[in-house]
Every structure is written in C-alpha cells, then in structure tokens.
Amino acid sequence: MNQDGNKTIYVFIDASNLWQAQKAKGRFFDYEKLPAYLKEKFSGGKIKVFYYTAYPADGTRSYSIDSKHKFFTFLKKGLGFAVIKKELKRIHIAEGNGDAIKEKGNMDVEITIDALHHIDKYDIAVLFSGDADFLALVSYLKNRDREVYVFSSKNNISQELRTGGNGYFDVLDIEADIWGRDLKFRDKNS
C-alpha cells in the first residue's frame, strides 16, 4: 500500500447499478479506459477492479446469453478484473392472475465481503453503486482510514450514500473519454 507516494485503489463495481447509468446515458461504459481514468483522478499507483454481476440461467431467455459470458471472460482475461458472478435467483410469486417469476441477483454481500477481506491492501475504495445499504460499509472503511469514493448516477443514488463517502461522482457527468459505443436495445419481439 501507498508505496512511493502512489495510492493503491480497489474498485468495486455493482454491474446492475452501473447498467442503469449506461441505459440513462445511452452508451456502454468503456471498461478498458476505466483503470487509467481512476488512477489519474485519485493519483493511484496500483489498481484492482472487481466486477459483480448476476446473469440469467440457461434456457430462461428467448435469446442467447453467450455474449454475456464472452464479456465476463474479456473483463477477466483481457483486462485482469476479478469477475464475481452468480446465476439470477428465480422466485415464484403467486399473484391474483396467476403465478409470476421474479429474478433477483443482489451482489451487496459479495461486494462487502471483498471490500473487508482486502482492506489492508488498498488506500482508496471506489464503489460503483447507489444502494443505501452500502452506507455501513462506507462508514466502516472511512473509520479504518480508507478514502471512499462513490460513483453512480443522479437517477440511481441514495442521498445517504451520496453524502457518506469522501466524494460522490455522477457517472453521467463524467466528461473524460470513458464512454464506449452507443447502447442498442434488443427488439422485444426477438
């Protein structure tokens, strides 16, 4: 940690939260550019990026999810990210007009465990999430002399988390070249 005046940065990305920002922006995030951007922004020397996501089970979609798995492989092997993923949990719910299926893939516990497990390895924690549940983690890290910065979007950030860290950044307002290609939505009929 903090060798030669450079700080070590650990980045924890809640993919579902960042996905909401990407939809609002209408563009994909360029994950190749993210580490350099964060190192420059926070005067970092070393950086480690964790990417947390849940994905649909095979056979639950009318389209192939192979591209999702290729993307996860690119993040892991191509960019050196730690990719933590799990299958979406399918919950059957009885409703007045029949049964429905709700899918959940919350990764808050996994993010928290990793942030705490690696606490002695970093000076700065960068959290890409807007979930108020992370306020306890942010407070804990700050009380252990870690700087904590939160990235989310104004459409998807809790007031508590926005003001709880050392700084908040709206990803939709980032003017640096970290945005990739335009986001195209899948045709609902396919």
Side-chain angles (χ1 to χ4, degrees):
M1 272 187 8
N2 206 353
Q3 299 168 357
D4 303 320
N6 287 324
K7 296 180 177 181
T8 299
I9 303 168
Y10 270 44
V11 182
F12 304 94
I13 299 172
D14 178 352
S16 66
N17 187 271
L18 193 53
W19 175 243
Q20 296 305 315
Q22 290 175 100
K23 288 194 304 187
K25 184 80 168 179
R27 296 179 72 188
F28 284 104
F29 215 64
D30 188 334
Y31 290 100
E32 281 185 86
K33 296 176 181 175
L34 180 64
Y37 166 76
L38 293 173
K39 283 170 82 172
E40 181 179 328
K41 184 163 199 63
F42 299 114
S43 302
K46 294 192 316 186
I47 191 164
K48 174 107 176 132
V49 181
F50 294 79
Y51 182 90
Y52 301 85
T53 189
Y55 60 91
D58 286 338
T60 61
R61 299 295 188 271
S62 61
Y63 53 86
S64 172
I65 60 168
D66 288 347
S67 62
K68 279 192 178 299
H69 294 292
K70 287 178 185 173
F71 175 67
F72 301 152
T73 300
F74 166 72
L75 291 177
K76 185 176 181 177
K77 292 184 178 178
L79 301 181
F81 288 16
V83 177
I84 298 85
K85 59 186 179 175
K86 67 181 177 184
E87 207 170 85
L88 285 165
K89 184 176 182 176
R90 296 173 58 82
I91 303 165
H92 294 273
I93 301 170
E95 294 183 342
N97 57 350
D99 287 345
I101 295 176
K102 182 175 182 177
E103 293 180 319
K104 292 194 58 100
N106 195 320
M107 300 293 285
D108 294 3
V109 171
E110 290 84 350
I111 292 170
T112 300
I113 288 171
D114 284 342
L116 296 176
H117 179 74
H118 296 288
I119 193 169
D120 293 330
K121 299 177 185 172
Y122 60 87
D123 303 292
I124 298 173
V126 175
L127 176 64
F128 279 82
S129 185
D131 192 335
D133 291 344
F134 285 116
L135 184 59
L137 173 63
V138 168
S139 298
Y140 182 88
L141 295 176
K142 284 179 61 181
N143 287 333
R144 301 307 181 278
D145 298 322
R146 300 302 178 270
E147 293 176 46
V148 184
Y149 297 95
V150 177
F151 284 75
S152 189
S153 68
K154 60 184 167 269
N155 307 329
N156 210 19
I157 181 79
S158 68
Q159 179 64 18
E160 301 89 351
L161 193 58
R162 189 177 72 76
T163 58
N166 295 88
Y168 163 73
F169 302 92
D170 188 327
V171 293
L172 300 177
D173 293 338
I174 295 174
E175 294 184 14
D177 182 27
I178 61 165
W179 293 100
R181 61 186 167 86
D182 287 342
L183 181 61
K184 293 182 178 125
F185 293 95
R186 181 178 293 108
D187 181 7
K188 298 237 186 238
N189 297 324
S190 61

